[in-house]
Amino acid sequence: MNSKRLFGVTRRSFVKSSATLLATTGFGSKLAAFGQATGASPARVIIDTDPGVDDAFALLLAMRSPELKIEAITPVAGNVPLELTLSNALRLVEIAGRTDIPVAAGARTPLLRRLVTATYAHGENGLGGAVFPEPTIKPVAEPAAEIIRRVVRKYPHEVTLITLGPLTNIATALNADPDLASLVRGLTMMGGSLSGGNITPAAEFNIYVDPEAARIVFQSGIPITMVGLDVTRKTSLTDDHIRLLEAAKNPASQAAATIGRNAIAHNRERGFLVGPNMHDSLAVAAFLDPTILKWQDYYVDVETTGELTAGETLGYSPTAGDLKRRAGAEKDAAATMTIRGSAPTLASTRTSPVVRDKFVPNTKVAVDVDSTKFFQLLIGRLAGKQ
């Protein structure tokens, strides 16, 4: 990617416009209501996903949650190639009895990079090797990015994007429609980490696969809720969870139990002491009930050029770190904090790039989780007890 341009838009103008959008949309007030699913009427959402073991659990949870009005499911290449994420999404829609939800095929490759998959974790078919019949329904003809644009414009300020995979589809929609970000109610993301990665020491998988797309999203001005590895690492699926799912006799619980049982066995074969983490399910649960997690405001950006760190999510905060300030001093620090990039090289005449001239949070980051409360919601919904 040209260091000064983001797909036809200069980085300076993009950052300036996203800063303006954050200010004019009232980021703090919009984030204060980021648990929209608690309202009287169902919350409109689009689920962007790359199923995926934990995506499968997340989709089943979402489809069994009456708080959600799922306007579309938009598979993207990620954990496995698109032909598998698409067919897996269609299978899960059929299993849940929710064929009313349109499924639209998304991007086959990241914006600028070759696709890296996670078949090592999810198996060759994406579902931990669990085999289900071929889906009988078909995806809609409309591409994922276009259905995202259409639905958001049809319901301005009502639609939340729940993203469970690489952010290629979302970035494609934003690139095609410069005003779209201002019409999105919010974005709840499984992705990123402020405490190290899971595919490299720096990067979480979803951001690693398409860091350029992730940077577009983080800089878009959409209020973001980030559920990353900092909390999802505390959500290991266990044999006890599987037994509860097996005891329930509905199709969703039986499918989840089969996928989960295979995934646990796969983890044990690879020498892991615990089952797979329910990364994506936690993001859906966070939207359904934000009190499951503890939150902190950050300005988050994404490294796109590092040879070893591409895909790293960096969280800037005047209140983070070991040295604590009194409340008044924290407010003053936020007002004067500059968001800087890397130091200039000896060969360059540039000064350190200033990404922001002051601290403006763009993301609510999950920093702790009540795992017991989370699994009560997840297993209870899938088993039909909530």
Side-chain angles (χ1 to χ4, degrees):
M1 180 174 69
N2 185 309
S3 62
K4 295 183 179 180
R5 301 189 69 82
L6 280 165
F7 310 101
V9 180
T10 65
R11 176 162 293 167
R12 180 179 296 274
S13 65
F14 190 91
V15 170
K16 182 179 179 181
S17 65
S18 62
T20 302
L21 181 58
L22 283 170
T24 58
T25 55
F27 175 78
S29 63
K30 288 186 81 173
L31 279 185
F34 65 98
Q36 298 104 314
T38 58
S41 58
R44 298 186 191 278
V45 300
I46 295 172
I47 302 178
D48 195 74
T49 181
D50 60 337
V53 168
D54 51 321
D55 303 74
F57 274 73
L59 285 172
L60 292 172
L61 170 62
M63 288 188 285
R64 290 181 66 82
S65 294
E67 303 95 326
L68 304 183
K69 173 67 171 70
I70 304 172
E71 297 289 346
I73 294 172
T74 53
V76 65
N79 285 323
V80 287
L82 180 65
E83 55 267 25
L84 292 175
T85 64
L86 179 59
S87 61
N88 287 344
L90 293 168
R91 286 185 180 93
L92 292 163
V93 164
E94 287 192 331
I95 288 168
R98 293 300 308 276
T99 55
D100 57 300
I101 301 171
V103 178
R108 292 184 176 275
T109 60
L111 294 179
L112 298 177
R113 297 173 186 259
R114 297 178 183 176
L115 177 64
V116 175
T117 67
T119 55
Y120 56 85
H122 296 268
E124 292 298 325
N125 73 346
L127 298 178
V131 177
F132 298 96
E134 286 296 314
T136 60
I137 60 172
K138 303 295 181 184
V140 297
E142 198 173 14
E146 185 56 35
I147 204 170
I148 291 167
R149 292 180 62 230
R150 179 177 60 78
V151 171
V152 169
R153 284 197 165 275
K154 183 178 180 180
Y155 304 107
H157 313 296
E158 292 186 31
V159 178
T160 298
L161 307 176
I162 299 179
T163 65
L164 310 178
L167 291 160
T168 316
N169 290 340
I170 311 302
T172 301
L174 294 175
N175 280 338
D177 189 342
D179 297 325
L180 192 69
S182 66
L183 303 176
V184 176
R185 181 175 176 89
L187 186 148
T188 296
M189 165 194 306
M190 189 285 123
S193 172
L194 301 185
S195 56
N198 61 350
I199 186 167
T200 71
E204 180 275 327
F205 176 82
N206 286 341
I207 310 300
Y208 171 88
V209 169
D210 199 341
E212 286 78 18
R215 191 163 212 215
I216 288 170
V217 171
F218 275 106
Q219 292 188 350
S220 69
I222 298 172
I224 294 171
T225 302
M226 179 176 125
V227 180
L229 299 180
D230 315 287
V231 288
T232 65
R233 286 182 170 124
K234 302 174 183 178
T235 60
S236 295
L237 192 68
T238 68
D239 289 314
D240 287 340
H241 296 139
I242 299 301
R243 281 190 282 270
L244 290 171
L245 292 171
E246 289 172 336
K249 299 303 180 184
N250 71 76
S253 71
Q254 292 299 303
T258 300
I259 295 167
R261 181 72 73 191
N262 279 36
I264 288 174
H266 181 62
N267 267 30
R268 287 175 178 159
E269 288 170 3
R270 296 168 64 211
F272 292 111
L273 297 175
V274 296
N277 292 320
M278 294 285 96
H279 305 285
D280 296 324
S281 302
L282 186 58
V284 172
F287 185 77
L288 293 170
D289 182 2
T291 66
I292 289 173
L293 296 117
K294 180 181 177 182
W295 306 91
Q296 186 170 339
D297 287 349
Y298 281 87
Y299 173 76
V300 177
D301 210 336
V302 180
E303 176 61 63
T304 59
T305 60
E307 181 179 358
L308 302 179
T309 57
E312 181 178 13
T313 40
L314 288 303
Y316 295 81
S317 170
T319 62
D322 296 331
L323 297 177
K324 302 299 181 184
R325 296 182 175 96
R326 62 183 182 276
E330 285 185 356
K331 184 176 180 180
D332 292 341
T336 59
M337 179 181 181
T338 300
I339 308 298
R340 294 188 179 276
S342 59
T345 65
L346 291 173
S348 172
T349 59
R350 296 171 56 216
T351 57
S352 297
V354 175
V355 181
R356 302 273 188 198
D357 58 5
K358 64 179 180 180
F359 174 71
V360 179
N362 63 349
T363 306
K364 268 204 179 307
V365 177
V367 295
D368 202 3
V369 59
D370 184 336
S371 296
T372 299
K373 190 174 182 180
F374 160 64
F375 275 110
Q376 287 173 344
L377 175 61
L378 175 64
I379 303 302
R381 287 285 169 92
L382 296 185
K385 296 182 179 180
Q386 279 198 24

